[in-house]
Amino acid sequence: MWRALELARCGQPYVSPNPMVGAVIVRDGDIVGEGYHEEFGGPHAEVNALKRAGDAARGATMYVTLEPCCETYAGKKTPPCVPGIVAAGLKRVVVAVEDPHRNVSGKGIKAMADAGIDVVVGECREEAHELNGAYFSLVERGRPLVTAKWAMTLDGKIATRTGDARWISGEAARKEVHYDRGCSGAIVVGVCTVLRDNPQLTARGGVGRQPLRVVIDRDARIPLDSTLVREAGKSPVFIYADENAPADRLAKLEDAGVYVILLPRHGKYLHWMELLHDLGDRGVNSVIVEGGGGIFATAFRERAIDRVKVFIAPKIVGGERATTPVEGPGVPDMARAVTFDHVRTRTLGADVVIEGRVVYPSDTSASPSGHWQGYGGA
């Protein structure tokens, strides 16, 4: 199953919004066939593994990271896998985790069992679920999995007091950022990041596909001569704006090829969950939020962030006015801090990378100071 999980990850830049799946066929202790889902719309992992195994699949065991599909349904681009598994004469199928999709969940396992195949479920379940966190998020919650990503100095700054942020991290880290973008459905920033950095928000390096480029811009302040607007025709740019944003600005953005989505303003802000569910309705299953500090603050306040990935560079810039990753009022005490589990730390060139899954505090009550509204999400 570890090999099947390793194979599954090979498809990460190309299969979204489908899940990553790997399959390994073993007979008499030897691997006789293996495969993974290589691209969206292409053959599934089970089909590729069976093709490579050929007649050696008869009487063998298949290890597969996600429950095989068993029926055709609207929107499905490939034939179901279970009939091929049955026809190949497999004796045993070990499934890491059930598929949550309503047209698959439990049905594939039952169909194989009804055909006389010995089915075992749960080997490396947690790892398989973690691998396809984006797929599970879209199917089960109707919204993408959200990762907050930033690079900062050793003293916790994402820019100097003059706003200079290029480059904090090293070349290896920047290369990984572009790989991550190529594996993501959308990159989200606030308009202040656009005003300050004029970013492209593209994946460069030839891996994966270009993500949807998203700007949260309540009042449609994004400059018409910004790179994002000028190059909107090359890959989609979405602007999420307030319903009452200036109509003439919105019209000019649409004329430039930008997709404008209007959401109601709640107090000072647009609601993250409304934005994320809109992206989910469009088939986006993973999002990387790249700032700035105000955007991160509201996203954490609404519990919209699921994971973090932070690049820490061995640099010190100092400065009271130098920018920090998460702004806003902040928590009043450590008991209310956002924490993390499944934390992984590694080096990448001279930088340190910390990744983890967000754990929000259980105490969401108002602070006695009156400044803390709680990470409850309105």
Side-chain angles (χ1 to χ4, degrees), residues 155-204:
D155 56 340
K157 309 296 185 180
I158 62 172
T160 68
R161 61 183 173 81
T162 63
D164 182 23
R166 296 186 180 182
W167 295 101
I168 291 175
S169 56
E171 184 177 349
R174 296 196 295 272
K175 183 177 180 180
E176 182 164 304
V177 165
H178 285 292
Y179 178 86
D180 290 344
R181 285 181 177 182
C183 297
S184 181
I187 308 298
V188 179
V189 298
V191 68
C192 290
T193 296
V194 178
L195 294 172
R196 183 186 67 233
D197 299 335
N198 192 25
Q200 299 179 56
L201 302 184
T202 54
R204 300 184 286 281

Side-chain angles (χ1 to χ4, degrees), residues 58-324:
R58 190 161 298 278
T61 296
M62 173 183 283
Y63 295 84
V64 61
T65 59
L66 189 69
E67 178 181 3
C69 53
C70 63
E71 62 182 37
T72 300
Y73 51 86
K76 184 170 172 54
K77 295 182 177 296
T78 57
C81 295
V82 169
I85 290 172
V86 173
L90 285 166
K91 180 180 180 180
R92 186 168 178 256
V93 174
V94 181
V95 178
V97 65
E98 300 89 344
D99 191 326
H101 195 287
R102 64 180 182 276
N103 293 111
V104 182
S105 184
K107 296 180 180 180
I109 292 168
K110 183 178 185 300
M112 290 187 293
D114 289 347
I117 297 173
D118 179 20
V119 183
V120 179
V121 182
E123 185 70 32
C124 297
R125 179 190 298 275
E126 185 174 356
E127 292 84 355
H129 192 283
E130 178 80 6
L131 175 72
N132 278 310
Y135 174 72
F136 279 85
S137 179
L138 184 60
V139 173
E140 295 178 338
R141 302 190 297 178
R143 71 165 181 88
L145 186 78
V146 179
T147 300
K149 189 274 297 178
W150 65 80
M152 68 181 186
T153 61
L154 203 57
D155 56 340
K157 309 296 185 180
I158 62 172
T160 68
R161 61 183 173 81
T162 63
D164 182 23
R166 296 186 180 182
W167 295 101
I168 291 175
S169 56
E171 184 177 349
R174 296 196 295 272
K175 183 177 180 180
E176 182 164 304
V177 165
H178 285 292
Y179 178 86
D180 290 344
R181 285 181 177 182
C183 297
S184 181
I187 308 298
V188 179
V189 298
V191 68
C192 290
T193 296
V194 178
L195 294 172
R196 183 186 67 233
D197 299 335
N198 192 25
Q200 299 179 56
L201 302 184
T202 54
R204 300 184 286 281
V207 176
R209 295 174 291 183
Q210 290 299 333
L212 179 67
R213 299 177 289 173
V214 177
V215 180
I216 301 176
D217 184 7
R218 297 188 303 270
D219 300 311
R221 293 190 294 146
I222 186 170
L224 297 176
D225 62 351
S226 65
T227 299
L228 287 172
V229 175
R230 287 189 292 105
E231 298 184 355
K234 294 183 179 180
S235 63
V237 174
F238 277 29
I239 303 292
Y240 283 90
D242 177 14
E243 292 174 329
N244 296 314
D248 59 330
R249 294 283 301 169
L250 299 177
K252 289 177 180 177
L253 289 171
E254 290 183 323
D255 288 343
V258 173
Y259 295 89
V260 176
I261 299 94
L262 301 181
L263 295 176
R265 184 185 300 223
H266 301 271
K268 296 180 180 180
Y269 309 107
L270 305 181
H271 267 194
W272 270 96
M273 290 305 169
E274 292 177 357
L275 182 155
L276 292 175
H277 279 283
D278 181 79
L279 288 174
D281 289 343
R282 300 172 192 275
V284 175
N285 67 2
S286 61
V287 163
I288 298 176
V289 182
E290 295 193 1
I295 290 295
F296 284 134
T298 59
F300 277 115
R301 183 175 63 83
E302 292 190 38
R303 301 192 172 211
I305 302 295
D306 302 302
R307 297 177 180 175
V308 297
K309 184 172 187 177
V310 181
F311 298 86
I312 304 175
K315 299 177 181 178
I316 300 289
V317 300
E320 294 179 354
R321 291 183 294 168
T323 311
T324 57

Side-chain angles (χ1 to χ4, degrees), residues 347-368:
T347 57
L348 185 61
D351 302 320
V352 174
V353 184
I354 299 179
E355 301 176 78
R357 191 170 62 186
V358 178
V359 179
Y360 289 98
S362 57
D363 188 351
T364 60
S365 60
S367 167

